Amino acid sequence: RRRTGLGGCQALSKLFVNQLMQRCSKKGEDGGASEFRPILSNIIDDLLLILLVPEFPAAELILLSIVNAITQELLQITSKKKESELSFLNTIFDAMGKICA
């Protein structure tokens, strides 16, 4: 198997996004999910602004990690392995809409 040298970068990006998604998905006032959901939205907006700027090559990597994490969340919710509140679903669908637009 060929190594690209991006393994550490990908692992760190995945860790960051998974922690952020975990905090955003908390129910009610547990862990301040209402504080982290706008942060997720703002991070996505900022990453989309700098996506094509050559000085920020990791923007695409982080966006891909966000999309993968959102996809995993939606698969868990639709397969009934995980329950979620409506405001979190609105947040992640808005995020996917921004990224895909």
Side-chain angles (χ1 to χ4, degrees), residues 42-70:
N42 291 338
I43 287 173
I44 290 171
D45 289 341
D46 292 344
L47 289 170
L48 289 171
L49 284 174
I50 62 170
L51 183 61
L52 299 176
V53 178
E55 288 86 11
F56 302 103
E60 181 181 5
L61 181 67
I62 298 170
L63 278 173
L64 285 173
S65 295
I66 290 172
V67 169
N68 286 335
I70 289 173

Side-chain angles (χ1 to χ4, degrees), residues 17-56:
V17 170
N18 285 339
Q19 289 295 316
L20 183 60
M21 292 297 289
Q22 185 179 26
R23 292 183 181 174
C24 288
S25 67
K26 299 233 185 218
K27 288 187 176 185
E29 295 301 317
D30 294 341
S34 60
E35 295 174 9
F36 285 100
R37 291 176 186 159
I39 292 172
L40 175 65
S41 181
N42 291 338
I43 287 173
I44 290 171
D45 289 341
D46 292 344
L47 289 170
L48 289 171
L49 284 174
I50 62 170
L51 183 61
L52 299 176
V53 178
E55 288 86 11
F56 302 103

